Every structure is written in C-alpha cells, then in structure tokens.
Amino acid sequence: MLQEILAFEFMRNALLAAILSSVACGIIGTYVVVKKIGFISGGIAHTAFGGIGLGYYLGINPLLGVIPFSLFAAVAIGLLSKKAKVAEDSAIGAFWAVGMAIGVICIGLKPGYAPDLFSYLFGNILTVPTVDLWMILSLDLFIIGVVWLLNKEFLAISFDEEYATVSGLKTTALYLLMLCLIALTVVIMMRVVGIVMVIALLTIPAAIARMFSRSLPGMMVLAVVLSSLFSLCGLWFSYQLDIASGATIIIFAGLAFVLAHAWRMVNASLTAQ
Amino acid sequence: MKKEPIIECDRLSLSLGGVKVLDSLTLSVYDGDFLAIIGPNGGGKTTLLRVILGLEKCSTGSVRVFGGAPGGFPGRVGYVPQRLFFDRDFPISIRELVLMGRLSNKKLFQHYNKRDRQIADEAICTAGLEKLSERRIGDLSGGELQRALIARALAGDPELLLLDEPTASIDPQMKTTIYDLMEHLKEKLTIVLVTHDTGTISRYVTRIAFLNVTLELYESGVSPKSESLSSLYHYPVNPVVHHSPVSRTIDHP
C-alpha cells in the first residue's frame, strides 16, 4: 500500500514537503506561541498574498514574489507597532487587508484565469514541484542556522523583552529578525496549508508542545514531531477520502488541540480530587 | 577624597503623556549604599528605576550611572523586575532563567559556556534554590520565583543591584528571607530597592528616600523635616519636601 503510494512522484514530494515544512513550523511556531504573536503571523501571511498577485502579474514564480513581499510586511508591521506608536492590532489589520487587496488587483489585471490561485490560499500539498522542495529545504536550513546562532537572544526577547534591553541587546532589531523568520516560514507553509490556514499550523503544534515541555529546544523538537504527524495524517486521509489536503491537516491539528486540552482538564480535576 | 557616585541624578524631571512623573530630582548613590525608595503608588518609583536603567529618557536634568549614560554598562547593573510582567507558563527552568543573567556579559552569537553555567549555579546557591534548579518557573511559589529573579541578576556579576518591589504579593515569612538575602548581598553590592514595605525595610537599609509625584529629593539632611524624620526612623533619612499634601507614608510610618 505504502509502496504503491510512494511510486507517485507527487506523493513523494508531498511527504517530503510535509516533513520539511514541519521543521520550520515547529521551530518558529514555538517562538510565535511563547511570544504570543500569532496574530502578527496571521497578518504577515495574509499580506503575503499581495506578493503572490505581484508574482502572477510579473509572470514569475509566485514564491519569488512572496518572499520579498512578506519580509517587507514583517518589517513594516514590526516597525509600525514598535516605533510609530500605532496600536499593534490596527497595524496588523491594515496590512492584512491591504496586502490581500494588492493581490486581488494584480491578479485581476493579468488577463486569463489564475489556475492554482486556490492552492496558495488553501494549500495543496499534492502539487508541490521538486523545485519548491529545494526552496523549502534551503529556507529550513537558513532558519535553523539563525535560530542556532541567536538562541539565547531569541529566548531573552521572548521571555522578557525589557530585561533583554537592560542586558544590552538590540531588541527591536532582534524582534524584526524574528518576524522575518516568521515570514519565511509562512512562505514555506503556503504550499502545504495555504495562506489562510498558516496560522493554525504555526500555533497549534507548538501550543500542544508547550504543555509537555520544560525548555524551548524541547518544545521545538516536540512541535516539529507533532506538526509532521498532523501533516502526514492529514495527507493520508485527504488522499484516501479525496478531500482538500490543507484543510484536512488543519482539522487534524485542531482535533489534537482540543483533545490535548480536554486531557489536561480531566487530569487536573483528577489530581484535584 | 570624595568618592564618585555610582548613580548621580541632577534635577531630573520626566513627563509621561503630559503628566509630570518625576520633578527636579537630585540624588546620589555611592558605592556600598543600600538605598530604599519608598512612596505611594504612582509616585514615580518604578519610573526612576527605568530612567537609571536607560529604559526611559529624562525630559530635563541629567542622570549618570557609573559616570556615563544610563544603560551604557549593562554588565555592571543587575535588575530585578516586578515579576508580574512575564508569562508564568513559559517553558523554562530556573537554571535557564538564571543563565539569562549572563546575557550582559556575552556577545551576540556567543553561546553560554561551562563558566557561565558555573556562575549561574553559584547564583542559584546564593539564592538558596539549588534543590529547585530544574523546576519549571510555573511550578514555583511567588517567593521562590522572586529569589530566582534575584539570582538571575546576580549571575551577571553586577556592582549595582536594582530591585523593583521584590516583596510585593509575597507572604511575610518569605519577605524576611528575601531581606536576609539582601542583607547578605549588601556586603558586596550597592543596592537600590523600590518598595512599599516601610515596616520591614527599616531594619536592613542604610538610607531611605521618599518619592512622590512632584517632589524635591534632598541628598543630605538639608531639609527642614530632616530631624523629625530621623527621629522617626533610627537611621539617616533623605527627606522630601512636598509641594502637595504630605505623603501618608511620612505621616503614619
């Protein structure tokens, strides 16, 4: 059965995409969860749609449009909320909608039907071409490298930004760098679950992992494992039932989230007795 | 020979959102001082610490810390913030938390090494937490967490220790152990402490300053109220002349 599935190149690519994207997702998702910047991540993801539209319009690989666009969104949202004294949720909301608007206009300007537009919005792991796998792999390596180099700084700004400042860290620059890593993760995840649902896979595995972890590295490893598990389960079911893969992955993640919390509540009430 | 002060505030004023939080403050802290700053809520105590740390810029006047701009010597200043401002659910053990105190001694990209871990472990011992060092911070009591934060500040090997309400919302017994810890630390460190705890601190500190929103803070006993305050507390007092009604803290110590 498994061999039969693996005979298809698209299936092999899908499996690789699920695992490779989970690496970035678990590592960066951990920061998103402990620093409570899920909404910012959602904002970056949706703004990135502008980049897809731009890519279409210019006739290049949309992923090439998305990377600079989402990096720009990350820096702009970060700077607006840190420096310009704009309320963070207003800054995010504005970018969220304007980014999507730019995407819609660009796609409208390009004559003809945009065939795989849906796959960017809602993900389609079954159509990941090999070239995108290489891109995902190199982004993974980049993210791992930066996090490895800056793990003590990222821990400090996640835990207590004020203390990090007092310790002499350039917290704003580090924060912007962290948002940029989130933007790159969004680009990776786009192929798997799509822009609209990125936020779920970025937060759910890490949020579950936090319940069972005593350190950030431990939480990252567990989040990577969980994210891979959800992606592979979702992929399997969507293949068997012939339903949308991205959505199935998210349903799996959401179910696990609810179950983990229910388990904790039951556990807590049992120990309380 | 006159010693150089570690902290020197000269007619320091600060407005936040159009409201004057600190007004014309003059204060010097010298090597070996254990200064307690007391005063009502909103009296600017925490803001003063933030200015000394370089987190807040003063509007007029000047502040010098170790002879330079505030925030210029992170390795020489240890800071114990109010513990309310971070997430108790954060997955981090006491040991990792205390290790964070080594940040100010490390360069960007540099990982913590064996020596850093050793210094952090020593700080954990000083704070009396060696049995709890692998515990997650969420599993600690308020007093244990407070001591962990002190250990973090000590791990940076500072010369000046700034504490923001270290005994707020801690039960009385725990308060005593924290003050005993500071009693031990003042041998080696200069300490500035912000607190509500007018009763307990009197036994420990060498100087006290009263701080209320608009005030003048006198360095030495030049204020007319100095004598009466000194007789109230049995140690040297830095009195404050209030433009507004006199603080309750002074009326009912």
Side-chain angles (χ1 to χ4, degrees):
Chain A
M1 182 70 195
L2 199 65
Q3 270 181 337
E4 176 193 320
I5 291 176
L6 286 178
F8 298 112
E9 194 198 356
F10 75 88
M11 213 54 195
R12 285 199 302 272
N13 281 1
L15 287 174
L16 277 174
I19 291 165
L20 286 177
S21 63
S22 293
V23 172
C25 191
I27 294 173
I28 298 303
T30 293
Y31 289 121
V32 171
V33 166
V34 296
K35 203 163 165 46
K36 301 195 171 92
I37 47 178
F39 192 44
I40 290 196
S41 314
I44 294 171
H46 283 79
T47 312
F49 187 68
I52 291 179
L54 209 61
Y56 257 114
Y57 184 68
L58 298 174
I60 53 174
N61 182 344
L63 279 190
L64 289 177
V66 166
I67 293 177
F69 211 87
S70 58
L71 287 177
F72 165 76
V75 172
I77 292 175
L79 279 180
L80 264 184
S81 58
K82 283 267 165 194
K83 295 282 177 200
K85 300 208 178 221
V86 178
E88 201 162 64
D89 54 349
S90 314
I92 297 165
F95 269 85
W96 186 304
V98 169
M100 299 224 59
I102 291 173
V104 169
I105 288 174
C106 283
I107 290 164
L109 284 176
K110 181 94 173 170
Y113 175 64
D116 49 345
L117 187 62
F118 242 58
S119 78
Y120 288 106
L121 280 174
F122 303 108
N124 191 353
I125 198 170
L126 296 174
T127 60
V128 180
T130 311
V131 57
D132 282 14
L133 281 182
W134 284 109
M135 179 146 24
I136 292 175
L137 179 66
S138 35
L139 288 175
D140 263 350
L141 291 176
F142 178 74
I143 287 170
I144 292 171
V146 173
V147 168
W148 185 77
L149 279 174
L150 290 171
N151 69 72
K152 76 177 194 305
E153 285 81 5
F154 280 166
L155 171 65
I157 65 164
S158 307
F159 182 70
D160 184 347
E161 205 163 311
E162 188 178 277
Y163 192 83
T165 311
V166 169
S167 302
L169 290 187
K170 303 261 174 282
T171 44
T172 304
L174 286 164
Y175 178 62
L176 292 178
L177 179 60
M178 190 185 267
L179 291 184
C180 287
L181 293 186
I182 293 173
L184 293 179
T185 309
V186 163
V187 173
I188 293 175
M189 300 307 298
M190 203 156 23
R191 276 305 197 175
V192 180
V193 290
I195 283 173
V196 178
M197 293 181 286
V198 157
I199 190 162
L201 214 48
L202 212 46
T203 52
I204 290 175
I208 299 174
R210 179 163 78 163
M211 296 165 62
F212 306 99
S213 310
R214 289 202 306 183
S215 70
L216 277 200
M219 182 172 160
M220 285 173 182
V221 171
L222 190 53
V224 169
V225 171
L226 286 172
S227 175
S228 310
L229 197 70
F230 299 149
S231 303
L232 293 177
C233 285
L235 179 60
W236 172 263
F237 267 80
S238 69
Y239 177 75
Q240 291 295 328
L241 303 175
D242 195 20
I243 48 180
S245 57
T248 316
I249 292 169
I250 299 300
I251 296 286
F252 261 96
L255 271 178
F257 188 66
V258 172
L259 285 177
H261 277 274
W263 177 81
R264 185 155 84 161
M265 272 159 67
V266 170
N267 227 17
S269 65
L270 281 181
T271 41
Q273 274 173 9
Chain B
M1 195 185 97
K2 199 171 177 292
K3 276 195 296 184
E4 271 290 300
I6 288 182
I7 303 172
E8 194 172 21
C9 302
D10 186 18
R11 280 158 295 159
L12 156 70
S13 297
L14 174 71
S15 301
L16 289 175
V19 181
K20 242 183 184 167
V21 183
L22 298 171
D23 188 12
S24 196
L25 223 88
T26 298
L27 165 79
S28 297
V29 177
Y30 292 91
D31 189 22
D33 272 354
F34 185 172
L35 169 72
I37 301 171
I38 62 176
N41 274 333
K45 304 190 295 298
T46 298
T47 311
L48 177 57
L49 280 195
R50 291 176 61 84
V51 172
I52 294 169
L53 286 163
L55 290 169
E56 213 77 69
K57 294 254 175 293
C58 55
S59 319
T60 60
S62 74
V63 192
R64 298 178 74 75
V65 180
F66 291 112
F73 302 96
R76 302 174 75 176
V77 182
Y79 173 45
V80 181
Q82 280 201 47
R83 61 187 174 82
L84 318 159
F85 298 127
F86 58 79
D87 180 9
R88 290 284 297 259
D89 267 344
F90 201 100
I92 187 172
S93 65
I94 290 195
R95 178 168 275 139
E96 296 295 314
L97 171 72
V98 172
L99 203 50
M100 219 183 273
R102 297 296 301 156
L103 260 183
S104 51
N105 297 272
K106 306 297 280 186
K107 292 197 187 74
L108 205 68
F109 303 130
Q110 220 174 14
H111 285 186
Y112 297 122
N113 57 26
K114 215 171 167 185
R115 195 178 130 70
D116 295 314
R117 294 184 185 277
Q118 209 176 346
I119 293 171
D121 283 345
E122 281 164 22
I124 290 172
C125 283
T126 308
L129 293 168
E130 56 273 28
K131 285 192 186 118
L132 305 173
S133 62
E134 295 303 329
R135 288 268 189 93
R136 197 172 145 155
I137 55 161
D139 301 333
L140 302 178
S141 74
E144 287 160 353
L145 186 54
Q146 195 63 62
R147 280 189 285 159
L149 292 181
I150 294 173
R152 174 175 73 168
L154 294 177
D157 203 14
E159 297 161 52
L160 169 68
L161 189 60
L162 305 172
L163 301 104
D164 195 356
E165 308 241 13
T167 54
S169 63
I170 293 183
D171 59 75
Q173 284 162 329
M174 259 307 179
K175 275 185 190 171
T176 317
T177 67
I178 283 178
Y179 283 124
D180 286 342
L181 174 58
M182 278 190 272
E183 176 84 355
H184 168 69
L185 294 175
K186 80 175 183 197
E187 311 285 319
K188 286 175 281 183
L189 294 170
T190 307
I191 301 177
V192 175
L193 163 74
V194 158
T195 184
H196 276 302
D197 234 0
T198 49
T200 330
I201 42 160
S202 53
R203 279 191 280 139
Y204 300 90
V205 298
T206 51
R207 292 160 75 212
I208 263 193
F210 297 93
L211 182 55
N212 198 354
V213 183
T214 51
L215 56 70
E216 287 161 33
L217 191 61
Y218 285 88
E219 180 48 36
S220 50
V222 286
S223 145
K225 292 199 77 177
S226 130
E227 273 180 36
S228 54
L229 278 171
S230 294
S231 61
L232 229 55
Y233 294 87
H234 299 283
Y235 40 80
V237 166
N238 279 334
V240 163
V241 177
H242 293 262
H243 302 303
S244 49
V246 176
S247 154
R248 274 166 199 272
T249 329
I250 298 172
D251 282 345
H252 313 287

Short mmCIF file of all heavy atoms in Angstrom, two decimals, chain B residues 97-147:
data_model
loop_
_atom_site.label_atom_id
_atom_site.label_comp_id
_atom_site.label_asym_id
_atom_site.label_seq_id
_atom_site.Cartn_x
_atom_site.Cartn_y
_atom_site.Cartn_z
N LEU B 97 16.58 30.25 33.38
CA LEU B 97 16.20 31.63 33.69
C LEU B 97 17.39 32.39 34.26
O LEU B 97 17.69 33.51 33.86
CB LEU B 97 15.04 31.62 34.70
CG LEU B 97 14.66 32.97 35.31
CD1 LEU B 97 13.96 33.84 34.29
CD2 LEU B 97 13.78 32.80 36.53
N VAL B 98 18.09 31.75 35.20
CA VAL B 98 19.23 32.41 35.84
C VAL B 98 20.37 32.61 34.84
O VAL B 98 21.05 33.63 34.84
CB VAL B 98 19.68 31.61 37.07
CG1 VAL B 98 20.96 32.17 37.65
CG2 VAL B 98 18.58 31.60 38.13
N LEU B 99 20.51 31.64 33.97
CA LEU B 99 21.55 31.72 32.94
C LEU B 99 21.36 32.98 32.07
O LEU B 99 22.32 33.56 31.56
CB LEU B 99 21.49 30.47 32.07
CG LEU B 99 22.74 30.04 31.31
CD1 LEU B 99 23.95 30.00 32.21
CD2 LEU B 99 22.51 28.69 30.66
N MET B 100 20.11 33.39 31.94
CA MET B 100 19.81 34.59 31.16
C MET B 100 20.52 35.81 31.74
O MET B 100 20.79 36.78 31.04
CB MET B 100 18.30 34.81 31.19
CG MET B 100 17.71 35.29 29.91
SD MET B 100 15.96 35.58 30.14
CE MET B 100 15.30 33.99 29.81
N GLY B 101 20.83 35.76 33.03
CA GLY B 101 21.54 36.86 33.66
C GLY B 101 22.94 37.05 33.09
O GLY B 101 23.55 38.10 33.24
N ARG B 102 23.47 36.02 32.42
CA ARG B 102 24.81 36.11 31.83
C ARG B 102 24.80 36.89 30.51
O ARG B 102 25.87 37.19 29.97
CB ARG B 102 25.39 34.71 31.57
CG ARG B 102 25.61 33.87 32.79
CD ARG B 102 26.64 34.44 33.74
NE ARG B 102 27.95 34.61 33.13
CZ ARG B 102 28.87 35.46 33.56
NH1 ARG B 102 28.63 36.23 34.59
NH2 ARG B 102 30.03 35.56 32.95
N LEU B 103 23.60 37.17 30.00
CA LEU B 103 23.48 37.85 28.71
C LEU B 103 24.35 39.09 28.59
O LEU B 103 25.02 39.29 27.57
CB LEU B 103 22.02 38.31 28.52
CG LEU B 103 21.08 37.49 27.67
CD1 LEU B 103 19.75 38.21 27.59
CD2 LEU B 103 21.65 37.30 26.26
N SER B 104 24.33 39.91 29.65
CA SER B 104 25.03 41.19 29.57
C SER B 104 26.54 41.01 29.48
O SER B 104 27.26 41.94 29.15
CB SER B 104 24.67 42.06 30.77
OG SER B 104 24.86 41.33 31.96
N ASN B 105 27.03 39.80 29.77
CA ASN B 105 28.47 39.55 29.69
C ASN B 105 28.86 38.84 28.40
O ASN B 105 30.03 38.53 28.20
CB ASN B 105 28.91 38.69 30.88
CG ASN B 105 28.70 39.40 32.19
OD1 ASN B 105 29.56 40.13 32.66
ND2 ASN B 105 27.54 39.23 32.78
N LYS B 106 27.86 38.53 27.55
CA LYS B 106 28.16 37.77 26.35
C LYS B 106 27.97 38.63 25.11
O LYS B 106 27.21 39.59 25.12
CB LYS B 106 27.22 36.55 26.23
CG LYS B 106 27.21 35.64 27.44
CD LYS B 106 28.53 34.99 27.71
CE LYS B 106 28.78 33.78 26.81
NZ LYS B 106 30.03 33.10 27.22
N LYS B 107 28.66 38.24 24.05
CA LYS B 107 28.48 38.94 22.78
C LYS B 107 27.36 38.26 21.98
O LYS B 107 26.96 37.14 22.27
CB LYS B 107 29.78 38.89 21.97
CG LYS B 107 30.91 39.70 22.57
CD LYS B 107 31.99 39.94 21.51
CE LYS B 107 33.22 40.59 22.10
NZ LYS B 107 34.03 39.66 22.91
N LEU B 108 26.89 38.98 20.97
CA LEU B 108 25.91 38.41 20.06
C LEU B 108 26.50 37.13 19.45
O LEU B 108 27.70 37.07 19.19
CB LEU B 108 25.64 39.44 18.95
CG LEU B 108 24.31 39.38 18.22
CD1 LEU B 108 23.17 39.77 19.16
CD2 LEU B 108 24.32 40.32 17.04
N PHE B 109 25.67 36.14 19.23
CA PHE B 109 26.06 34.85 18.61
C PHE B 109 26.86 33.95 19.55
O PHE B 109 27.05 32.78 19.26
CB PHE B 109 26.90 35.02 17.33
CG PHE B 109 26.23 35.84 16.28
CD1 PHE B 109 26.89 36.89 15.66
CD2 PHE B 109 24.93 35.56 15.88
CE1 PHE B 109 26.28 37.65 14.68
CE2 PHE B 109 24.31 36.32 14.90
CZ PHE B 109 24.98 37.36 14.31
N GLN B 110 27.36 34.50 20.66
CA GLN B 110 28.16 33.68 21.56
C GLN B 110 27.25 32.79 22.39
O GLN B 110 26.29 33.28 22.98
CB GLN B 110 28.93 34.62 22.50
CG GLN B 110 30.33 34.21 22.77
CD GLN B 110 31.04 35.27 23.60
OE1 GLN B 110 30.44 36.17 24.18
NE2 GLN B 110 32.34 35.16 23.66
N HIS B 111 27.54 31.50 22.45
CA HIS B 111 26.72 30.62 23.27
C HIS B 111 27.21 30.62 24.71
O HIS B 111 28.36 30.93 24.98
CB HIS B 111 26.73 29.20 22.69
CG HIS B 111 25.90 29.09 21.44
ND1 HIS B 111 25.65 27.91 20.81
CD2 HIS B 111 25.24 30.03 20.73
CE1 HIS B 111 24.88 28.12 19.76
NE2 HIS B 111 24.63 29.39 19.69
N TYR B 112 26.31 30.27 25.64
CA TYR B 112 26.73 30.13 27.03
C TYR B 112 27.71 28.98 27.14
O TYR B 112 27.52 27.93 26.54
CB TYR B 112 25.52 29.83 27.92
CG TYR B 112 24.49 30.92 27.95
CD1 TYR B 112 23.18 30.66 27.58
CD2 TYR B 112 24.82 32.20 28.35
CE1 TYR B 112 22.21 31.66 27.60
CE2 TYR B 112 23.86 33.21 28.38
CZ TYR B 112 22.56 32.93 28.01
OH TYR B 112 21.62 33.91 28.03
N ASN B 113 28.77 29.16 27.92
CA ASN B 113 29.73 28.07 28.08
C ASN B 113 29.71 27.54 29.51
O ASN B 113 28.86 27.90 30.32
CB ASN B 113 31.13 28.55 27.69
CG ASN B 113 31.57 29.75 28.49
OD1 ASN B 113 31.11 29.95 29.62
ND2 ASN B 113 32.45 30.56 27.93
N LYS B 114 30.67 26.66 29.79
CA LYS B 114 30.72 25.99 31.08
C LYS B 114 30.83 27.00 32.23
O LYS B 114 30.19 26.87 33.27
CB LYS B 114 31.95 25.06 31.09
CG LYS B 114 31.74 23.78 31.85
CD LYS B 114 32.93 22.87 31.59
CE LYS B 114 32.94 21.71 32.57
NZ LYS B 114 34.14 20.90 32.41
N ARG B 115 31.65 28.02 32.00
CA ARG B 115 31.86 29.03 33.04
C ARG B 115 30.56 29.78 33.35
O ARG B 115 30.24 30.04 34.50
CB ARG B 115 32.95 30.00 32.58
CG ARG B 115 33.50 30.87 33.69
CD ARG B 115 34.60 31.78 33.19
NE ARG B 115 34.34 33.15 33.63
CZ ARG B 115 34.42 33.55 34.89
NH1 ARG B 115 34.72 32.69 35.82
NH2 ARG B 115 34.17 34.80 35.22
N ASP B 116 29.82 30.10 32.29
CA ASP B 116 28.54 30.79 32.51
C ASP B 116 27.61 29.92 33.36
O ASP B 116 26.93 30.41 34.26
CB ASP B 116 27.86 31.08 31.16
CG ASP B 116 28.66 32.07 30.34
OD1 ASP B 116 29.10 33.08 30.90
OD2 ASP B 116 28.84 31.82 29.13
N ARG B 117 27.59 28.62 33.03
CA ARG B 117 26.71 27.71 33.78
C ARG B 117 27.15 27.60 35.24
O ARG B 117 26.33 27.52 36.15
CB ARG B 117 26.68 26.33 33.13
CG ARG B 117 26.04 26.41 31.76
CD ARG B 117 25.87 25.10 31.05
NE ARG B 117 25.35 25.38 29.72
CZ ARG B 117 24.07 25.56 29.45
NH1 ARG B 117 23.17 25.44 30.41
NH2 ARG B 117 23.67 25.84 28.23
N GLN B 118 28.47 27.63 35.44
CA GLN B 118 29.01 27.57 36.79
C GLN B 118 28.60 28.80 37.59
O GLN B 118 28.13 28.70 38.73
CB GLN B 118 30.53 27.50 36.68
CG GLN B 118 31.20 26.78 37.82
CD GLN B 118 32.70 26.69 37.55
OE1 GLN B 118 33.16 26.93 36.43
NE2 GLN B 118 33.44 26.36 38.57
N ILE B 119 28.75 29.98 36.97
CA ILE B 119 28.39 31.22 37.66
C ILE B 119 26.90 31.25 37.97
O ILE B 119 26.48 31.63 39.06
CB ILE B 119 28.80 32.44 36.80
CG1 ILE B 119 30.32 32.51 36.70
CG2 ILE B 119 28.24 33.72 37.39
CD1 ILE B 119 30.82 33.53 35.71
N ALA B 120 26.08 30.77 37.01
CA ALA B 120 24.64 30.72 37.23
C ALA B 120 24.32 29.79 38.39
O ALA B 120 23.49 30.12 39.25
CB ALA B 120 23.94 30.26 35.95
N ASP B 121 25.00 28.64 38.46
CA ASP B 121 24.75 27.71 39.56
C ASP B 121 25.13 28.31 40.91
O ASP B 121 24.45 28.10 41.91
CB ASP B 121 25.52 26.40 39.33
CG ASP B 121 24.84 25.52 38.29
OD1 ASP B 121 23.66 25.81 37.98
OD2 ASP B 121 25.47 24.57 37.79
N GLU B 122 26.23 29.08 40.92
CA GLU B 122 26.61 29.75 42.16
C GLU B 122 25.53 30.74 42.60
O GLU B 122 25.18 30.81 43.78
CB GLU B 122 27.94 30.49 41.98
CG GLU B 122 29.14 29.56 42.06
CD GLU B 122 30.40 30.20 41.51
OE1 GLU B 122 30.46 31.45 41.45
OE2 GLU B 122 31.32 29.46 41.11
N ALA B 123 25.00 31.49 41.63
CA ALA B 123 23.95 32.46 41.95
C ALA B 123 22.71 31.74 42.48
O ALA B 123 22.05 32.22 43.40
CB ALA B 123 23.60 33.29 40.71
N ILE B 124 22.42 30.58 41.90
CA ILE B 124 21.27 29.79 42.37
C ILE B 124 21.49 29.37 43.82
O ILE B 124 20.58 29.41 44.65
CB ILE B 124 21.05 28.56 41.46
CG1 ILE B 124 20.54 29.02 40.08
CG2 ILE B 124 20.07 27.58 42.08
CD1 ILE B 124 20.48 27.92 39.05
N CYS B 125 22.73 28.98 44.15
CA CYS B 125 23.04 28.59 45.53
C CYS B 125 22.90 29.78 46.47
O CYS B 125 22.33 29.66 47.56
CB CYS B 125 24.47 28.05 45.62
SG CYS B 125 24.61 26.38 44.99
N THR B 126 23.42 30.93 46.07
CA THR B 126 23.31 32.13 46.90
C THR B 126 21.85 32.42 47.23
O THR B 126 21.51 32.80 48.34
CB THR B 126 23.91 33.35 46.16
OG1 THR B 126 25.22 33.01 45.75
CG2 THR B 126 23.94 34.57 47.06
N ALA B 127 20.98 32.22 46.23
CA ALA B 127 19.56 32.49 46.44
C ALA B 127 18.87 31.32 47.15
O ALA B 127 17.67 31.38 47.41
CB ALA B 127 18.89 32.79 45.11
N GLY B 128 19.61 30.26 47.42
CA GLY B 128 19.04 29.12 48.13
C GLY B 128 18.06 28.30 47.33
O GLY B 128 17.08 27.78 47.86
N LEU B 129 18.31 28.18 46.03
CA LEU B 129 17.35 27.48 45.16
C LEU B 129 17.94 26.21 44.55
O LEU B 129 17.36 25.66 43.61
CB LEU B 129 16.91 28.42 44.02
CG LEU B 129 16.08 29.63 44.42
CD1 LEU B 129 15.97 30.59 43.25
CD2 LEU B 129 14.70 29.21 44.87
N GLU B 130 19.10 25.74 45.08
CA GLU B 130 19.78 24.64 44.38
C GLU B 130 18.91 23.40 44.24
O GLU B 130 19.03 22.66 43.27
CB GLU B 130 21.12 24.32 45.06
CG GLU B 130 21.06 23.98 46.54
CD GLU B 130 21.14 25.22 47.42
OE1 GLU B 130 20.72 26.30 46.97
OE2 GLU B 130 21.59 25.10 48.58
N LYS B 131 17.98 23.19 45.17
CA LYS B 131 17.14 21.99 45.06
C LYS B 131 16.06 22.14 43.99
O LYS B 131 15.45 21.16 43.57
CB LYS B 131 16.47 21.71 46.41
CG LYS B 131 17.44 21.11 47.41
CD LYS B 131 16.69 20.56 48.62
CE LYS B 131 17.66 20.10 49.67
NZ LYS B 131 17.54 20.83 50.93
N LEU B 132 15.79 23.38 43.60
CA LEU B 132 14.68 23.62 42.67
C LEU B 132 15.16 23.95 41.27
O LEU B 132 14.36 24.27 40.40
CB LEU B 132 13.83 24.79 43.18
CG LEU B 132 13.27 24.66 44.60
CD1 LEU B 132 12.60 25.97 45.01
CD2 LEU B 132 12.27 23.53 44.67
N SER B 133 16.48 23.87 41.01
CA SER B 133 17.00 24.49 39.80
C SER B 133 16.45 23.89 38.51
O SER B 133 16.44 24.56 37.49
CB SER B 133 18.53 24.44 39.80
OG SER B 133 18.96 23.11 39.81
N GLU B 134 15.97 22.65 38.55
CA GLU B 134 15.43 22.07 37.32
C GLU B 134 13.92 22.30 37.18
O GLU B 134 13.32 21.91 36.19
CB GLU B 134 15.72 20.57 37.25
CG GLU B 134 17.20 20.21 37.16
CD GLU B 134 17.89 20.86 35.96
OE1 GLU B 134 17.22 21.06 34.93
OE2 GLU B 134 19.08 21.19 36.07
N ARG B 135 13.31 22.90 38.20
CA ARG B 135 11.86 23.13 38.15
C ARG B 135 11.50 24.16 37.09
O ARG B 135 12.22 25.10 36.84
CB ARG B 135 11.37 23.66 39.50
CG ARG B 135 11.37 22.65 40.59
CD ARG B 135 10.03 21.94 40.69
NE ARG B 135 10.01 21.13 41.90
CZ ARG B 135 9.54 21.57 43.06
NH1 ARG B 135 9.03 22.77 43.15
NH2 ARG B 135 9.57 20.79 44.11
N ARG B 136 10.32 23.95 36.52
CA ARG B 136 9.78 24.93 35.60
C ARG B 136 9.28 26.12 36.42
O ARG B 136 8.75 25.94 37.52
CB ARG B 136 8.63 24.28 34.83
CG ARG B 136 8.21 25.00 33.60
CD ARG B 136 7.21 24.14 32.84
NE ARG B 136 6.23 25.00 32.22
CZ ARG B 136 5.52 24.67 31.15
NH1 ARG B 136 5.67 23.49 30.60
NH2 ARG B 136 4.67 25.50 30.63
N ILE B 137 9.44 27.34 35.89
CA ILE B 137 9.11 28.51 36.71
C ILE B 137 7.63 28.54 37.10
O ILE B 137 7.29 29.10 38.13
CB ILE B 137 9.49 29.84 36.02
CG1 ILE B 137 8.84 29.94 34.65
CG2 ILE B 137 10.99 30.02 35.92
CD1 ILE B 137 8.79 31.37 34.15
N GLY B 138 6.78 27.93 36.29
CA GLY B 138 5.36 27.91 36.60
C GLY B 138 5.04 27.13 37.87
O GLY B 138 3.99 27.32 38.47
N ASP B 139 5.97 26.25 38.29
CA ASP B 139 5.72 25.42 39.47
C ASP B 139 6.25 26.05 40.75
O ASP B 139 6.24 25.42 41.80
CB ASP B 139 6.40 24.04 39.30
CG ASP B 139 5.88 23.33 38.07
OD1 ASP B 139 4.73 23.60 37.69
OD2 ASP B 139 6.62 22.51 37.49
N LEU B 140 6.73 27.29 40.68
CA LEU B 140 7.34 27.91 41.86
C LEU B 140 6.34 28.77 42.60
O LEU B 140 5.37 29.27 42.03
CB LEU B 140 8.52 28.80 41.43
CG LEU B 140 9.63 28.12 40.66
CD1 LEU B 140 10.68 29.15 40.29
CD2 LEU B 140 10.24 27.01 41.49
N SER B 141 6.60 28.98 43.88
CA SER B 141 5.80 29.95 44.63
C SER B 141 6.32 31.35 44.31
O SER B 141 7.39 31.50 43.73
CB SER B 141 5.93 29.67 46.12
OG SER B 141 7.21 30.09 46.57
N GLY B 142 5.54 32.35 44.72
CA GLY B 142 5.93 33.72 44.45
C GLY B 142 7.30 34.06 45.01
O GLY B 142 8.12 34.69 44.35
N GLY B 143 7.56 33.61 46.22
CA GLY B 143 8.83 33.93 46.87
C GLY B 143 10.00 33.24 46.18
O GLY B 143 11.08 33.82 46.02
N GLU B 144 9.78 31.98 45.76
CA GLU B 144 10.85 31.25 45.06
C GLU B 144 11.17 31.91 43.73
O GLU B 144 12.33 32.07 43.35
CB GLU B 144 10.41 29.79 44.82
CG GLU B 144 10.41 28.96 46.09
CD GLU B 144 9.56 27.70 45.98
OE1 GLU B 144 8.84 27.53 44.96
OE2 GLU B 144 9.60 26.90 46.91
N LEU B 145 10.11 32.33 43.04
CA LEU B 145 10.31 32.99 41.76
C LEU B 145 11.08 34.29 41.94
O LEU B 145 11.98 34.63 41.17
CB LEU B 145 8.95 33.24 41.09
CG LEU B 145 8.99 33.80 39.68
CD1 LEU B 145 9.84 32.92 38.78
CD2 LEU B 145 7.59 33.91 39.13
N GLN B 146 10.71 35.01 43.01
CA GLN B 146 11.39 36.27 43.28
C GLN B 146 12.88 36.04 43.54
O GLN B 146 13.72 36.77 43.05
CB GLN B 146 10.74 36.93 44.51
CG GLN B 146 11.11 38.38 44.67
CD GLN B 146 10.63 39.21 43.49
OE1 GLN B 146 9.44 39.30 43.25
NE2 GLN B 146 11.54 39.79 42.75
N ARG B 147 13.18 34.98 44.29
CA ARG B 147 14.58 34.68 44.54
C ARG B 147 15.29 34.25 43.26
O ARG B 147 16.47 34.55 43.06
CB ARG B 147 14.71 33.61 45.63
CG ARG B 147 14.55 34.22 47.02
CD ARG B 147 14.89 33.23 48.08
NE ARG B 147 13.81 32.24 48.22
CZ ARG B 147 13.96 31.04 48.77
NH1 ARG B 147 15.14 30.69 49.23
NH2 ARG B 147 12.95 30.22 48.86
#
